[in-house]
Amino acid sequence: QVQLVESGGGLVQAGGSLRLSCATSGLTFSRYAVGWFRLAPGKEREFVVGISWTGSRTYNGDSVKGRFTISRDNAKGTVYLQIDILKPEDTAVYYCAARRGSVATATHEYDYWGQGTQVTVSS
């Protein structure tokens, strides 16, 4: 059974940082690209950043350039999302998702999803 479990969310003041983790099991992790998405109240789920299965390529969503850094440790089956200089508009539930092949930005392209972790940024 494939599982993706996000962690690391919480309440943080604007300007702070968080490191989210996505731990996977039940899949050949090194064959999967991983994307982080977020869902804010009243908005559609948005692609944030993605990483190729080798880790050699990363892709940023249009709204998050410069503050979001994705990385992966294939030996641990885990992907990380470092978020710096957090803003109140970053408040959302953050999800990781995995798919065979290259990184995609559309939610329907992903095969497996985690349950999400809440990030709340206070002003």
Side-chain angles (χ1 to χ4, degrees):
Q1 182 181 0
V2 176
Q3 285 191 315
L4 280 68
V5 180
E6 301 94 336
S7 62
L11 175 63
V12 63
Q13 287 190 331
S17 299
L18 277 177
R19 188 192 195 204
L20 307 183
S21 298
C22 171
T24 72
S25 60
L27 74 170
T28 306
F29 181 68
S30 60
R31 302 272 181 92
Y32 284 76
V34 175
W36 281 96
F37 293 77
R38 65 184 180 184
L39 180 61
K43 296 187 178 181
E44 294 185 352
R45 195 171 299 199
E46 173 190 28
F47 174 78
V48 174
V49 63
I51 189 165
S52 64
W53 58 275
T54 63
S56 61
R57 293 190 175 186
T58 62
Y59 305 84
N60 289 324
D62 292 338
S63 63
V64 300
K65 289 184 175 69
R67 299 186 296 114
F68 289 63
T69 305
I70 189 171
S71 61
R72 68 188 292 160
D73 184 336
N74 282 354
K76 294 183 178 179
T78 302
V79 171
Y80 305 97
L81 177 61
Q82 176 73 30
I83 314 174
D84 297 314
I85 316 176
L86 278 155
K87 304 176 180 180
E89 51 264 42
D90 294 322
T91 295
V93 179
Y94 285 73
Y95 299 88
C96 64
R99 70 183 300 270
R100 292 290 296 266
S102 58
V103 171
T105 60
T107 56
H108 70 269
E109 298 276 8
Y110 284 81
D111 302 310
Y112 304 105
W113 289 83
Q115 83 291 346
T117 185
Q118 176 71 48
V119 171
T120 302
V121 183
S122 62
S123 57

mmCIF file of all heavy atoms in Angstrom, residues 16-70:
data_model
loop_
_atom_site.group_PDB
_atom_site.id
_atom_site.type_symbol
_atom_site.label_atom_id
_atom_site.label_comp_id
_atom_site.label_asym_id
_atom_site.label_seq_id
_atom_site.Cartn_x
_atom_site.Cartn_y
_atom_site.Cartn_z
ATOM 1 N N GLY A 16 9.046 34.129 9.085
ATOM 2 C CA GLY A 16 9.677 32.918 9.573
ATOM 3 C C GLY A 16 9.852 31.871 8.487
ATOM 4 O O GLY A 16 9.573 32.117 7.306
ATOM 5 N N SER A 17 10.305 30.701 8.919
ATOM 6 C CA SER A 17 10.572 29.599 7.996
ATOM 7 C C SER A 17 9.953 28.310 8.502
ATOM 8 O O SER A 17 9.724 28.144 9.709
ATOM 9 C CB SER A 17 12.079 29.399 7.823
ATOM 10 O OG SER A 17 12.702 30.541 7.285
ATOM 11 N N LEU A 18 9.698 27.422 7.580
ATOM 12 C CA LEU A 18 9.240 26.076 7.916
ATOM 13 C C LEU A 18 9.890 25.090 6.977
ATOM 14 O O LEU A 18 10.205 25.430 5.830
ATOM 15 C CB LEU A 18 7.720 25.955 7.768
ATOM 16 C CG LEU A 18 6.817 26.417 8.908
ATOM 17 C CD1 LEU A 18 5.357 26.267 8.483
ATOM 18 C CD2 LEU A 18 7.087 25.670 10.181
ATOM 19 N N ARG A 19 10.047 23.863 7.463
ATOM 20 C CA ARG A 19 10.506 22.774 6.607
ATOM 21 C C ARG A 19 9.489 21.658 6.682
ATOM 22 O O ARG A 19 9.302 21.049 7.742
ATOM 23 C CB ARG A 19 11.867 22.264 7.046
ATOM 24 C CG ARG A 19 12.486 21.274 6.078
ATOM 25 C CD ARG A 19 13.673 20.584 6.691
ATOM 26 N NE ARG A 19 14.501 19.898 5.725
ATOM 27 C CZ ARG A 19 15.306 18.874 6.026
ATOM 28 N NH1 ARG A 19 15.374 18.433 7.270
ATOM 29 N NH2 ARG A 19 16.042 18.307 5.090
ATOM 30 N N LEU A 20 8.824 21.433 5.558
ATOM 31 C CA LEU A 20 7.855 20.363 5.478
ATOM 32 C C LEU A 20 8.537 19.097 4.971
ATOM 33 O O LEU A 20 9.465 19.167 4.169
ATOM 34 C CB LEU A 20 6.714 20.742 4.540
ATOM 35 C CG LEU A 20 6.019 22.075 4.814
ATOM 36 C CD1 LEU A 20 4.852 22.252 3.834
ATOM 37 C CD2 LEU A 20 5.566 22.195 6.240
ATOM 38 N N SER A 21 8.031 17.961 5.420
ATOM 39 C CA SER A 21 8.540 16.672 4.956
ATOM 40 C C SER A 21 7.406 15.854 4.374
ATOM 41 O O SER A 21 6.255 15.978 4.798
ATOM 42 C CB SER A 21 9.180 15.900 6.112
ATOM 43 O OG SER A 21 10.284 16.584 6.650
ATOM 44 N N CYS A 22 7.755 15.023 3.424
ATOM 45 C CA CYS A 22 6.813 14.085 2.818
ATOM 46 C C CYS A 22 7.496 12.723 2.812
ATOM 47 O O CYS A 22 8.400 12.481 2.009
ATOM 48 C CB CYS A 22 6.460 14.534 1.410
ATOM 49 S SG CYS A 22 5.494 13.335 0.459
ATOM 50 N N ALA A 23 7.082 11.872 3.725
ATOM 51 C CA ALA A 23 7.661 10.537 3.835
ATOM 52 C C ALA A 23 6.802 9.551 3.056
ATOM 53 O O ALA A 23 5.581 9.532 3.218
ATOM 54 C CB ALA A 23 7.742 10.129 5.300
ATOM 55 N N THR A 24 7.440 8.763 2.228
ATOM 56 C CA THR A 24 6.706 7.825 1.392
ATOM 57 C C THR A 24 7.031 6.381 1.764
ATOM 58 O O THR A 24 8.088 6.081 2.331
ATOM 59 C CB THR A 24 7.015 8.043 -0.098
ATOM 60 O OG1 THR A 24 8.350 7.576 -0.372
ATOM 61 C CG2 THR A 24 6.892 9.495 -0.486
ATOM 62 N N SER A 25 6.118 5.508 1.431
ATOM 63 C CA SER A 25 6.334 4.081 1.594
ATOM 64 C C SER A 25 5.479 3.346 0.581
ATOM 65 O O SER A 25 4.483 3.886 0.086
ATOM 66 C CB SER A 25 5.982 3.629 3.025
ATOM 67 O OG SER A 25 4.622 3.900 3.310
ATOM 68 N N GLY A 26 5.893 2.128 0.257
ATOM 69 C CA GLY A 26 5.102 1.306 -0.629
ATOM 70 C C GLY A 26 5.295 1.551 -2.108
ATOM 71 O O GLY A 26 4.537 1.009 -2.933
ATOM 72 N N LEU A 27 6.277 2.374 -2.475
ATOM 73 C CA LEU A 27 6.547 2.599 -3.887
ATOM 74 C C LEU A 27 8.046 2.691 -4.110
ATOM 75 O O LEU A 27 8.800 2.940 -3.167
ATOM 76 C CB LEU A 27 5.847 3.873 -4.390
ATOM 77 C CG LEU A 27 6.398 5.240 -4.008
ATOM 78 C CD1 LEU A 27 5.684 6.317 -4.827
ATOM 79 C CD2 LEU A 27 6.264 5.538 -2.555
ATOM 80 N N THR A 28 8.433 2.471 -5.349
ATOM 81 C CA THR A 28 9.848 2.608 -5.707
ATOM 82 C C THR A 28 10.119 4.097 -5.854
ATOM 83 O O THR A 28 10.026 4.671 -6.938
ATOM 84 C CB THR A 28 10.143 1.852 -7.008
ATOM 85 O OG1 THR A 28 9.710 0.505 -6.875
ATOM 86 C CG2 THR A 28 11.641 1.881 -7.305
ATOM 87 N N PHE A 29 10.440 4.703 -4.748
ATOM 88 C CA PHE A 29 10.457 6.164 -4.648
ATOM 89 C C PHE A 29 11.345 6.818 -5.695
ATOM 90 O O PHE A 29 11.016 7.868 -6.241
ATOM 91 C CB PHE A 29 10.906 6.562 -3.245
ATOM 92 C CG PHE A 29 10.945 8.041 -3.016
ATOM 93 C CD1 PHE A 29 9.777 8.787 -2.985
ATOM 94 C CD2 PHE A 29 12.153 8.693 -2.825
ATOM 95 C CE1 PHE A 29 9.816 10.152 -2.776
ATOM 96 C CE2 PHE A 29 12.199 10.052 -2.603
ATOM 97 C CZ PHE A 29 11.021 10.789 -2.581
ATOM 98 N N SER A 30 12.466 6.192 -5.992
ATOM 99 C CA SER A 30 13.424 6.801 -6.914
ATOM 100 C C SER A 30 12.911 6.858 -8.349
ATOM 101 O O SER A 30 13.540 7.488 -9.209
ATOM 102 C CB SER A 30 14.749 6.045 -6.875
ATOM 103 O OG SER A 30 14.553 4.710 -7.239
ATOM 104 N N ARG A 31 11.762 6.243 -8.614
ATOM 105 C CA ARG A 31 11.178 6.289 -9.962
ATOM 106 C C ARG A 31 10.084 7.353 -10.078
ATOM 107 O O ARG A 31 9.480 7.499 -11.147
ATOM 108 C CB ARG A 31 10.560 4.929 -10.303
ATOM 109 C CG ARG A 31 11.546 3.777 -10.228
ATOM 110 C CD ARG A 31 12.267 3.553 -11.510
ATOM 111 N NE ARG A 31 13.194 2.437 -11.436
ATOM 112 C CZ ARG A 31 12.893 1.191 -11.750
ATOM 113 N NH1 ARG A 31 11.681 0.884 -12.170
ATOM 114 N NH2 ARG A 31 13.802 0.257 -11.670
ATOM 115 N N TYR A 32 9.809 8.072 -9.005
ATOM 116 C CA TYR A 32 8.681 8.986 -8.967
ATOM 117 C C TYR A 32 9.106 10.444 -8.842
ATOM 118 O O TYR A 32 9.937 10.785 -7.999
ATOM 119 C CB TYR A 32 7.752 8.659 -7.795
ATOM 120 C CG TYR A 32 6.889 7.453 -8.025
ATOM 121 C CD1 TYR A 32 7.412 6.174 -7.935
ATOM 122 C CD2 TYR A 32 5.543 7.597 -8.347
ATOM 123 C CE1 TYR A 32 6.622 5.065 -8.169
ATOM 124 C CE2 TYR A 32 4.745 6.490 -8.578
ATOM 125 C CZ TYR A 32 5.291 5.230 -8.486
ATOM 126 O OH TYR A 32 4.509 4.136 -8.717
ATOM 127 N N ALA A 33 8.506 11.267 -9.677
ATOM 128 C CA ALA A 33 8.588 12.711 -9.461
ATOM 129 C C ALA A 33 7.609 13.084 -8.347
ATOM 130 O O ALA A 33 6.587 12.416 -8.160
ATOM 131 C CB ALA A 33 8.234 13.463 -10.734
ATOM 132 N N VAL A 34 7.935 14.131 -7.638
ATOM 133 C CA VAL A 34 7.089 14.568 -6.521
ATOM 134 C C VAL A 34 6.784 16.052 -6.661
ATOM 135 O O VAL A 34 7.646 16.852 -6.999
ATOM 136 C CB VAL A 34 7.777 14.309 -5.170
ATOM 137 C CG1 VAL A 34 6.946 14.883 -4.017
ATOM 138 C CG2 VAL A 34 7.985 12.813 -4.958
ATOM 139 N N GLY A 35 5.546 16.380 -6.399
ATOM 140 C CA GLY A 35 5.141 17.780 -6.402
ATOM 141 C C GLY A 35 4.528 18.158 -5.069
ATOM 142 O O GLY A 35 3.940 17.317 -4.382
ATOM 143 N N TRP A 36 4.696 19.412 -4.710
ATOM 144 C CA TRP A 36 3.991 19.979 -3.569
ATOM 145 C C TRP A 36 2.903 20.901 -4.109
ATOM 146 O O TRP A 36 3.153 21.719 -5.002
ATOM 147 C CB TRP A 36 4.933 20.786 -2.675
ATOM 148 C CG TRP A 36 5.790 19.970 -1.762
ATOM 149 C CD1 TRP A 36 7.074 19.570 -1.990
ATOM 150 C CD2 TRP A 36 5.446 19.481 -0.463
ATOM 151 N NE1 TRP A 36 7.548 18.851 -0.918
ATOM 152 C CE2 TRP A 36 6.576 18.785 0.032
ATOM 153 C CE3 TRP A 36 4.305 19.558 0.336
ATOM 154 C CZ2 TRP A 36 6.581 18.165 1.282
ATOM 155 C CZ3 TRP A 36 4.311 18.948 1.573
ATOM 156 C CH2 TRP A 36 5.437 18.266 2.042
ATOM 157 N N PHE A 37 1.728 20.776 -3.540
ATOM 158 C CA PHE A 37 0.590 21.618 -3.876
ATOM 159 C C PHE A 37 0.082 22.255 -2.586
ATOM 160 O O PHE A 37 0.376 21.789 -1.487
ATOM 161 C CB PHE A 37 -0.535 20.783 -4.494
ATOM 162 C CG PHE A 37 -0.208 20.213 -5.840
ATOM 163 C CD1 PHE A 37 0.616 19.108 -5.966
ATOM 164 C CD2 PHE A 37 -0.744 20.773 -6.988
ATOM 165 C CE1 PHE A 37 0.913 18.576 -7.213
ATOM 166 C CE2 PHE A 37 -0.466 20.250 -8.234
ATOM 167 C CZ PHE A 37 0.367 19.149 -8.342
ATOM 168 N N ARG A 38 -0.700 23.297 -2.747
ATOM 169 C CA ARG A 38 -1.329 23.873 -1.566
ATOM 170 C C ARG A 38 -2.758 24.272 -1.882
ATOM 171 O O ARG A 38 -3.087 24.602 -3.025
ATOM 172 C CB ARG A 38 -0.543 25.083 -1.040
ATOM 173 C CG ARG A 38 -0.498 26.284 -1.965
ATOM 174 C CD ARG A 38 0.403 27.367 -1.362
ATOM 175 N NE ARG A 38 0.479 28.545 -2.216
ATOM 176 C CZ ARG A 38 1.243 29.593 -1.967
ATOM 177 N NH1 ARG A 38 2.020 29.617 -0.877
ATOM 178 N NH2 ARG A 38 1.258 30.625 -2.795
ATOM 179 N N LEU A 39 -3.578 24.233 -0.830
ATOM 180 C CA LEU A 39 -4.982 24.571 -0.963
ATOM 181 C C LEU A 39 -5.324 25.587 0.110
ATOM 182 O O LEU A 39 -5.301 25.275 1.307
ATOM 183 C CB LEU A 39 -5.849 23.314 -0.807
ATOM 184 C CG LEU A 39 -7.354 23.513 -0.919
ATOM 185 C CD1 LEU A 39 -7.718 24.073 -2.289
ATOM 186 C CD2 LEU A 39 -8.089 22.210 -0.656
ATOM 187 N N ALA A 40 -5.596 26.792 -0.338
ATOM 188 C CA ALA A 40 -5.965 27.876 0.573
ATOM 189 C C ALA A 40 -7.478 28.042 0.569
ATOM 190 O O ALA A 40 -8.141 27.708 -0.430
ATOM 191 C CB ALA A 40 -5.286 29.169 0.145
ATOM 192 N N PRO A 41 -8.033 28.568 1.655
ATOM 193 C CA PRO A 41 -9.490 28.754 1.717
ATOM 194 C C PRO A 41 -10.001 29.592 0.556
ATOM 195 O O PRO A 41 -9.450 30.654 0.252
ATOM 196 C CB PRO A 41 -9.686 29.480 3.053
ATOM 197 C CG PRO A 41 -8.515 29.082 3.875
ATOM 198 C CD PRO A 41 -7.374 28.955 2.915
ATOM 199 N N GLY A 42 -11.024 29.081 -0.104
ATOM 200 C CA GLY A 42 -11.637 29.824 -1.196
ATOM 201 C C GLY A 42 -10.879 29.778 -2.505
ATOM 202 O O GLY A 42 -11.265 30.450 -3.462
ATOM 203 N N LYS A 43 -9.806 28.986 -2.557
ATOM 204 C CA LYS A 43 -9.003 28.918 -3.781
ATOM 205 C C LYS A 43 -8.896 27.482 -4.269
ATOM 206 O O LYS A 43 -9.201 26.542 -3.547
ATOM 207 C CB LYS A 43 -7.605 29.491 -3.530
ATOM 208 C CG LYS A 43 -7.598 30.973 -3.175
ATOM 209 C CD LYS A 43 -6.188 31.508 -3.106
ATOM 210 C CE LYS A 43 -6.170 32.992 -2.807
ATOM 211 N NZ LYS A 43 -4.783 33.526 -2.751
ATOM 212 N N GLU A 44 -8.432 27.342 -5.504
ATOM 213 C CA GLU A 44 -8.195 26.016 -6.043
ATOM 214 C C GLU A 44 -6.823 25.511 -5.598
ATOM 215 O O GLU A 44 -5.932 26.290 -5.258
ATOM 216 C CB GLU A 44 -8.274 26.054 -7.567
ATOM 217 C CG GLU A 44 -9.650 26.387 -8.102
ATOM 218 C CD GLU A 44 -9.718 26.296 -9.613
ATOM 219 O OE1 GLU A 44 -8.655 26.125 -10.241
ATOM 220 O OE2 GLU A 44 -10.827 26.391 -10.151
ATOM 221 N N ARG A 45 -6.684 24.187 -5.645
ATOM 222 C CA ARG A 45 -5.387 23.612 -5.303
ATOM 223 C C ARG A 45 -4.343 24.099 -6.310
ATOM 224 O O ARG A 45 -4.569 24.051 -7.518
ATOM 225 C CB ARG A 45 -5.472 22.096 -5.291
ATOM 226 C CG ARG A 45 -4.295 21.429 -4.618
ATOM 227 C CD ARG A 45 -4.513 19.941 -4.429
ATOM 228 N NE ARG A 45 -5.667 19.655 -3.590
ATOM 229 C CZ ARG A 45 -5.863 18.499 -2.975
ATOM 230 N NH1 ARG A 45 -4.949 17.539 -3.087
ATOM 231 N NH2 ARG A 45 -6.941 18.292 -2.256
ATOM 232 N N GLU A 46 -3.213 24.522 -5.784
ATOM 233 C CA GLU A 46 -2.205 25.197 -6.593
ATOM 234 C C GLU A 46 -0.886 24.446 -6.551
ATOM 235 O O GLU A 46 -0.426 24.043 -5.477
ATOM 236 C CB GLU A 46 -2.005 26.617 -6.033
ATOM 237 C CG GLU A 46 -0.891 27.415 -6.639
ATOM 238 C CD GLU A 46 -0.600 28.700 -5.891
ATOM 239 O OE1 GLU A 46 -0.846 28.742 -4.663
ATOM 240 O OE2 GLU A 46 -0.120 29.661 -6.519
ATOM 241 N N PHE A 47 -0.270 24.291 -7.712
ATOM 242 C CA PHE A 47 1.067 23.702 -7.778
ATOM 243 C C PHE A 47 2.064 24.683 -7.192
ATOM 244 O O PHE A 47 2.105 25.845 -7.578
ATOM 245 C CB PHE A 47 1.426 23.377 -9.220
ATOM 246 C CG PHE A 47 2.841 22.902 -9.405
ATOM 247 C CD1 PHE A 47 3.194 21.607 -9.093
ATOM 248 C CD2 PHE A 47 3.815 23.759 -9.898
ATOM 249 C CE1 PHE A 47 4.495 21.166 -9.268
ATOM 250 C CE2 PHE A 47 5.117 23.339 -10.078
ATOM 251 C CZ PHE A 47 5.460 22.031 -9.763
ATOM 252 N N VAL A 48 2.902 24.178 -6.282
ATOM 253 C CA VAL A 48 3.893 25.026 -5.621
ATOM 254 C C VAL A 48 5.284 24.785 -6.196
ATOM 255 O O VAL A 48 5.933 25.703 -6.690
ATOM 256 C CB VAL A 48 3.888 24.762 -4.099
ATOM 257 C CG1 VAL A 48 5.020 25.529 -3.413
ATOM 258 C CG2 VAL A 48 2.540 25.122 -3.492
ATOM 259 N N VAL A 49 5.722 23.540 -6.122
ATOM 260 C CA VAL A 49 7.067 23.222 -6.590
ATOM 261 C C VAL A 49 7.150 21.719 -6.796
ATOM 262 O O VAL A 49 6.444 20.954 -6.133
ATOM 263 C CB VAL A 49 8.121 23.717 -5.570
ATOM 264 C CG1 VAL A 49 7.976 23.015 -4.245
ATOM 265 C CG2 VAL A 49 9.524 23.598 -6.099
ATOM 266 N N GLY A 50 8.007 21.296 -7.721
ATOM 267 C CA GLY A 50 8.167 19.879 -7.983
ATOM 268 C C GLY A 50 9.620 19.507 -8.179
ATOM 269 O O GLY A 50 10.466 20.376 -8.444
ATOM 270 N N ILE A 51 9.899 18.215 -8.055
ATOM 271 C CA ILE A 51 11.268 17.735 -8.211
ATOM 272 C C ILE A 51 11.248 16.442 -9.012
ATOM 273 O O ILE A 51 10.364 15.594 -8.836
ATOM 274 C CB ILE A 51 11.945 17.541 -6.830
ATOM 275 C CG1 ILE A 51 13.437 17.255 -6.989
ATOM 276 C CG2 ILE A 51 11.250 16.476 -6.002
ATOM 277 C CD1 ILE A 51 14.224 17.406 -5.681
ATOM 278 N N SER A 52 12.211 16.307 -9.908
ATOM 279 C CA SER A 52 12.303 15.120 -10.741
ATOM 280 C C SER A 52 12.712 13.906 -9.913
ATOM 281 O O SER A 52 13.173 14.022 -8.773
ATOM 282 C CB SER A 52 13.316 15.352 -11.861
ATOM 283 O OG SER A 52 14.622 15.531 -11.313
ATOM 284 N N TRP A 53 12.560 12.739 -10.489
ATOM 285 C CA TRP A 53 12.847 11.522 -9.723
ATOM 286 C C TRP A 53 14.320 11.394 -9.378
ATOM 287 O O TRP A 53 14.682 10.779 -8.395
ATOM 288 C CB TRP A 53 12.343 10.283 -10.464
ATOM 289 C CG TRP A 53 12.902 10.084 -11.838
ATOM 290 C CD1 TRP A 53 12.439 10.633 -12.995
ATOM 291 C CD2 TRP A 53 14.016 9.263 -12.213
ATOM 292 N NE1 TRP A 53 13.188 10.207 -14.058
ATOM 293 C CE2 TRP A 53 14.159 9.366 -13.606
ATOM 294 C CE3 TRP A 53 14.903 8.447 -11.494
ATOM 295 C CZ2 TRP A 53 15.158 8.685 -14.301
ATOM 296 C CZ3 TRP A 53 15.881 7.765 -12.186
ATOM 297 C CH2 TRP A 53 16.003 7.910 -13.572
ATOM 298 N N THR A 54 15.190 12.011 -10.174
ATOM 299 C CA THR A 54 16.615 11.982 -9.843
ATOM 300 C C THR A 54 16.985 13.080 -8.857
ATOM 301 O O THR A 54 18.053 13.032 -8.246
ATOM 302 C CB THR A 54 17.468 12.170 -11.089
ATOM 303 O OG1 THR A 54 17.197 13.465 -11.637
ATOM 304 C CG2 THR A 54 17.173 11.100 -12.129
ATOM 305 N N GLY A 55 16.140 14.083 -8.754
ATOM 306 C CA GLY A 55 16.473 15.243 -7.928
ATOM 307 C C GLY A 55 17.282 16.291 -8.650
ATOM 308 O O GLY A 55 17.630 17.320 -8.076
ATOM 309 N N SER A 56 17.563 16.052 -9.916
ATOM 310 C CA SER A 56 18.429 16.972 -10.643
ATOM 311 C C SER A 56 17.690 18.192 -11.177
ATOM 312 O O SER A 56 18.318 19.195 -11.521
ATOM 313 C CB SER A 56 19.102 16.246 -11.813
ATOM 314 O OG SER A 56 18.123 15.765 -12.717
ATOM 315 N N ARG A 57 16.365 18.096 -11.245
ATOM 316 C CA ARG A 57 15.585 19.231 -11.751
ATOM 317 C C ARG A 57 14.473 19.585 -10.792
ATOM 318 O O ARG A 57 13.806 18.713 -10.236
ATOM 319 C CB ARG A 57 14.991 18.894 -13.119
ATOM 320 C CG ARG A 57 16.021 18.745 -14.210
ATOM 321 C CD ARG A 57 15.352 18.666 -15.554
ATOM 322 N NE ARG A 57 16.324 18.642 -16.643
ATOM 323 C CZ ARG A 57 15.993 18.700 -17.921
ATOM 324 N NH1 ARG A 57 14.728 18.800 -18.273
ATOM 325 N NH2 ARG A 57 16.927 18.667 -18.846
ATOM 326 N N THR A 58 14.275 20.881 -10.618
ATOM 327 C CA THR A 58 13.165 21.366 -9.812
ATOM 328 C C THR A 58 12.367 22.366 -10.627
ATOM 329 O O THR A 58 12.891 22.999 -11.557
ATOM 330 C CB THR A 58 13.644 22.012 -8.505
ATOM 331 O OG1 THR A 58 14.453 23.152 -8.811
ATOM 332 C CG2 THR A 58 14.444 21.030 -7.670
ATOM 333 N N TYR A 59 11.112 22.510 -10.289
ATOM 334 C CA TYR A 59 10.184 23.355 -11.034
ATOM 335 C C TYR A 59 9.355 24.141 -10.036
ATOM 336 O O TYR A 59 8.739 23.567 -9.149
ATOM 337 C CB TYR A 59 9.266 22.501 -11.904
ATOM 338 C CG TYR A 59 10.012 21.582 -12.829
ATOM 339 C CD1 TYR A 59 10.473 20.344 -12.375
ATOM 340 C CD2 TYR A 59 10.266 21.935 -14.162
ATOM 341 C CE1 TYR A 59 11.173 19.497 -13.215
ATOM 342 C CE2 TYR A 59 10.948 21.091 -14.996
ATOM 343 C CZ TYR A 59 11.406 19.877 -14.523
ATOM 344 O OH TYR A 59 12.102 19.039 -15.354
ATOM 345 N N ASN A 60 9.325 25.458 -10.200
ATOM 346 C CA ASN A 60 8.563 26.313 -9.308
ATOM 347 C C ASN A 60 7.252 26.738 -9.936
ATOM 348 O O ASN A 60 7.182 27.021 -11.132
ATOM 349 C CB ASN A 60 9.352 27.575 -8.969
ATOM 350 C CG ASN A 60 10.517 27.291 -8.056
ATOM 351 O OD1 ASN A 60 10.436 26.439 -7.175
ATOM 352 N ND2 ASN A 60 11.615 27.993 -8.263
ATOM 353 N N GLY A 61 6.227 26.823 -9.093
ATOM 354 C CA GLY A 61 4.982 27.411 -9.541
ATOM 355 C C GLY A 61 5.143 28.910 -9.722
ATOM 356 O O GLY A 61 6.080 29.518 -9.188
ATOM 357 N N ASP A 62 4.234 29.506 -10.432
ATOM 358 C CA ASP A 62 4.363 30.926 -10.780
ATOM 359 C C ASP A 62 4.356 31.840 -9.562
ATOM 360 O O ASP A 62 4.943 32.915 -9.596
ATOM 361 C CB ASP A 62 3.240 31.335 -11.734
ATOM 362 C CG ASP A 62 3.396 30.679 -13.093
ATOM 363 O OD1 ASP A 62 4.538 30.282 -13.421
ATOM 364 O OD2 ASP A 62 2.384 30.550 -13.803
ATOM 365 N N SER A 63 3.696 31.428 -8.492
ATOM 366 C CA SER A 63 3.508 32.351 -7.375
ATOM 367 C C SER A 63 4.555 32.221 -6.281
ATOM 368 O O SER A 63 4.528 32.973 -5.312
ATOM 369 C CB SER A 63 2.121 32.128 -6.759
ATOM 370 O OG SER A 63 2.033 30.814 -6.238
ATOM 371 N N VAL A 64 5.510 31.302 -6.422
ATOM 372 C CA VAL A 64 6.375 31.021 -5.283
ATOM 373 C C VAL A 64 7.858 31.097 -5.597
ATOM 374 O O VAL A 64 8.682 30.563 -4.875
ATOM 375 C CB VAL A 64 6.069 29.635 -4.685
ATOM 376 C CG1 VAL A 64 4.634 29.574 -4.216
ATOM 377 C CG2 VAL A 64 6.348 28.537 -5.693
ATOM 378 N N LYS A 65 8.224 31.752 -6.634
ATOM 379 C CA LYS A 65 9.631 31.799 -7.015
ATOM 380 C C LYS A 65 10.479 32.409 -5.901
ATOM 381 O O LYS A 65 10.170 33.432 -5.338
ATOM 382 C CB LYS A 65 9.790 32.624 -8.292
ATOM 383 C CG LYS A 65 9.241 31.945 -9.532
ATOM 384 C CD LYS A 65 9.529 32.771 -10.769
ATOM 385 C CE LYS A 65 9.094 32.038 -12.033
ATOM 386 N NZ LYS A 65 7.626 31.937 -12.093
ATOM 387 N N GLY A 66 11.572 31.745 -5.600
ATOM 388 C CA GLY A 66 12.590 32.313 -4.727
ATOM 389 C C GLY A 66 12.494 31.950 -3.265
ATOM 390 O O GLY A 66 13.503 31.958 -2.568
ATOM 391 N N ARG A 67 11.321 31.638 -2.751
ATOM 392 C CA ARG A 67 11.187 31.385 -1.308
ATOM 393 C C ARG A 67 10.982 29.926 -0.969
ATOM 394 O O ARG A 67 11.062 29.553 0.201
ATOM 395 C CB ARG A 67 10.016 32.202 -0.741
ATOM 396 C CG ARG A 67 10.187 33.708 -0.889
ATOM 397 C CD ARG A 67 9.064 34.446 -0.168
ATOM 398 N NE ARG A 67 7.759 34.154 -0.760
ATOM 399 C CZ ARG A 67 6.783 33.502 -0.132
ATOM 400 N NH1 ARG A 67 6.969 33.064 1.099
ATOM 401 N NH2 ARG A 67 5.618 33.306 -0.718
ATOM 402 N N PHE A 68 10.708 29.128 -1.971
ATOM 403 C CA PHE A 68 10.395 27.719 -1.760
ATOM 404 C C PHE A 68 11.507 26.866 -2.374
ATOM 405 O O PHE A 68 11.845 27.035 -3.538
ATOM 406 C CB PHE A 68 9.059 27.354 -2.414
ATOM 407 C CG PHE A 68 7.865 27.933 -1.719
ATOM 408 C CD1 PHE A 68 7.674 29.303 -1.639
ATOM 409 C CD2 PHE A 68 6.919 27.092 -1.156
ATOM 410 C CE1 PHE A 68 6.561 29.834 -1.006
ATOM 411 C CE2 PHE A 68 5.796 27.619 -0.524
ATOM 412 C CZ PHE A 68 5.621 28.986 -0.452
ATOM 413 N N THR A 69 12.029 25.938 -1.578
ATOM 414 C CA THR A 69 13.099 25.065 -2.049
ATOM 415 C C THR A 69 12.718 23.620 -1.786
ATOM 416 O O THR A 69 12.418 23.250 -0.645
ATOM 417 C CB THR A 69 14.421 25.383 -1.341
ATOM 418 O OG1 THR A 69 14.737 26.770 -1.510
ATOM 419 C CG2 THR A 69 15.550 24.533 -1.914
ATOM 420 N N ILE A 70 12.740 22.833 -2.835
ATOM 421 C CA ILE A 70 12.403 21.419 -2.706
ATOM 422 C C ILE A 70 13.672 20.588 -2.833
ATOM 423 O O ILE A 70 14.590 20.932 -3.585
ATOM 424 C CB ILE A 70 11.360 21.006 -3.765
ATOM 425 C CG1 ILE A 70 10.830 19.605 -3.508
ATOM 426 C CG2 ILE A 70 11.921 21.153 -5.172
ATOM 427 C CD1 ILE A 70 9.646 19.225 -4.395
#
